[in-house]
Amino acid sequence: MRNITLTILALLFLLGCSTKDELNLSSKKTLPQWYVNPMQSSQTTLYSVGEGESKEVALKNALNMMASTLSVSIESSYNSKKVVQEGRVNSNQLDVENRVSSSVHKIRISSYELLEYEEVGFRNHILLIKAEKGKLFKSLESELEEEFSVIDAELKSLLAFNALEQISRYKKIKAKLEDLPERLVVMSVLNSSFDANVYTNKAQKINTAYDELLSSITFEIQTDNDSKNLEAPLRVALNAKKLSTAHKNKDRHFKIFIKSDIQRATSLGFTLARSAIEISVEDYRGAIVAGSKLNLIGQSTQGYEIAKQSLSMKFSDMIKKDGIEKIIGLDL
């Protein structure tokens, strides 16, 4: 009886495993055709499939794939235009062509449609998305219009600030438009009737206004007796930035004051000149608009005066390493 019972239990176990295997085999899902053979992108429409451990990850992968498809499409179209315009392509256009592929991947594809979605296994999601090139162009145009609207408001507010603050704000505006040429190439390919010159001219006006403002700013350097050796390297650095040290426009003229507290010391046969340097920048009304504090040590085996002269070399090296902006506390 015991043997019979064990035999029956063994048979039931084997039957259970067989049934389980059959269930597992029958439960495996076949990938849908829309995923195996997805629709091909056309002149007007982009298609892309994605797979991931969640719906969100699958969508992100699909959008990245769509950006890659768009990049190839745009690069091909741009190369075709370049061939047609052979002889009129300048270095700037070639530079844009080289950077357009990476630029496409930065573009946020927000106007897309989810066509298919399915969960084909544990932590395995697939989907198919579609984007109309016309709608994508419209979304990019809308984003660009909104960006320039914000920039226009920022430009109108500049008069409330001194010239140096205006320069700093201009630089931030220019940074926002660094990838504008690439974005315009993308939009031109998506819509052949798009006039990129409208935005190019706006950006050029901003660059021209920045250059004119920067060239109109002047500085005057004043030092105490212990800082006289520091004036020359500072003046050289300002001239290298094309900043004049002549007095021109009153409201765009600034004074740079350099004060030093130098303490004499000796160490290991060297004469030291320990200097605490204070730099301040004032506008034409006498208001402090920038400044910094530095600590430098000059040294020499030939005496205190030579040690003080070495401070000038140290100061010059610091300007070359950190930049004039950091040294005087300005964003130029």
Side-chain angles (χ1 to χ4, degrees):
M1 182 62 70
R2 181 182 178 187
N3 289 337
I4 292 172
T5 302
L6 291 173
T7 301
I8 293 172
L9 291 173
L11 288 172
L12 290 173
F13 175 76
L14 290 173
L15 287 172
C17 291
S18 176
T19 303
K20 185 177 180 181
D21 289 341
E22 289 177 4
L23 289 172
N24 286 338
L25 289 173
S26 62
S27 65
K28 287 184 178 178
K29 291 186 178 181
T30 303
L31 292 175
Q33 281 299 306
W34 58 261
Y35 183 80
V36 177
N37 296 305
M39 301 177 69
Q40 298 298 308
S41 296
S42 66
Q43 291 289 335
T44 60
T45 311
L46 295 168
Y47 295 94
S48 180
V49 294
E51 180 180 2
E53 60 185 21
S54 67
K55 184 177 180 180
E56 291 74 19
V57 173
L59 178 59
K60 180 180 179 181
N61 291 335
L63 289 171
N64 286 336
M65 183 61 69
M66 182 172 284
S68 298
T69 303
L70 179 61
S71 176
V72 172
S73 172
I74 288 174
E75 190 171 343
S76 175
S77 299
Y78 191 73
N79 283 332
S80 298
K81 286 186 177 183
K82 188 188 73 173
V83 172
V84 172
Q85 299 174 352
E86 188 174 1
R88 295 194 293 119
V89 179
N90 56 38
S91 59
N92 183 57
Q93 286 176 303
L94 293 175
D95 182 53
V96 170
E97 178 189 352
N98 293 333
R99 293 161 55 190
V100 69
S101 180
S102 61
S103 177
V104 172
H105 282 79
K106 297 177 184 177
I107 291 176
R108 182 170 56 89
I109 301 177
S110 55
S111 56
Y112 63 87
E113 181 181 350
L114 178 62
L115 298 180
E116 303 284 352
Y117 166 70
E118 193 172 326
E119 187 175 355
V120 294
F122 177 68
R123 296 174 67 84
N124 191 11
H125 302 251
I126 58 174
L127 49 76
L128 169 67
I129 59 173
K130 162 190 172 183
E132 299 290 346
K133 289 184 179 180
K135 290 182 179 179
L136 178 56
F137 169 80
K138 284 294 184 182
S139 68
L140 294 176
E141 186 180 42
S142 177
E143 289 175 5
L144 201 55
E145 281 291 333
E146 183 178 347
E147 187 171 334
F148 269 99
S149 178
V150 173
I151 288 174
D152 287 340
E154 291 176 350
L155 292 174
K156 290 178 181 178
S157 69
L158 288 182
L159 293 177
F161 304 97
N162 66 62
L164 292 177
E165 180 64 23
Q166 289 180 34
I167 285 293
S168 177
R169 290 172 180 267
Y170 262 120
K171 286 187 67 175
K172 292 175 183 177
I173 292 172
K174 283 160 58 70
K176 293 179 182 178
L177 299 176
E178 280 184 349
D179 64 344
L180 179 64
E182 292 79 21
R183 284 191 281 169
L184 294 180
V185 168
V186 173
M187 294 172 68
S188 296
V189 172
L190 289 174
N191 184 348
S192 58
S193 63
F194 171 63
D195 185 9
N197 289 328
V198 174
Y199 299 99
T200 302
N201 292 338
K202 288 182 178 181
Q204 185 58 51
K205 286 181 180 178
I206 293 172
N207 289 330
T208 300
Y210 168 81
D211 292 338
E212 290 178 351
L213 176 60
L214 187 63
S215 64
S216 70
I217 294 175
T218 56
F219 288 95
E220 176 183 343
I221 303 174
Q222 296 184 7
T223 69
D224 59 12
N225 289 331
D226 287 334
S227 306
K228 289 189 178 299
N229 290 338
L230 306 181
E231 180 178 352
L234 187 61
R235 190 178 299 278
V236 168
L238 289 171
N239 290 336
K241 295 286 290 187
K242 298 182 179 179
L243 295 169
S244 174
T245 51
H247 194 153
K248 294 181 180 179
N249 300 302
K250 180 181 177 182
D251 60 342
R252 298 179 184 179
H253 185 72
F254 298 84
K255 293 181 180 180
I256 301 177
F257 295 93
I258 309 177
K259 297 179 180 180
S260 298
D261 179 15
I262 302 178
Q263 300 295 326
R264 180 173 180 170
T266 57
S267 177
L268 301 175
F270 287 93
T271 300
L272 306 180
R274 302 180 184 273
S275 179
I277 304 169
E278 183 176 344
I279 300 175
S280 61
V281 183
E282 295 183 2
D283 64 12
Y284 70 98
R285 293 170 296 188
I288 296 178
V289 296
S292 66
K293 293 183 178 181
L294 310 171
N295 291 292
L296 292 176
I297 300 177
Q299 61 184 41
S300 174
T301 58
Q302 300 176 15
Y304 181 56
E305 291 302 319
I306 303 299
K308 285 200 299 182
Q309 291 178 19
S310 74
L311 282 174
S312 176
M313 298 178 61
K314 294 278 186 72
F315 186 59
S316 179
D317 291 340
M318 181 177 285
I319 293 175
K320 292 175 182 177
K321 178 183 176 182
D322 299 333
I324 183 64
E325 294 89 349
K326 184 176 181 180
I327 296 301
I328 62 178
L330 291 174
D331 185 15
L332 300 173

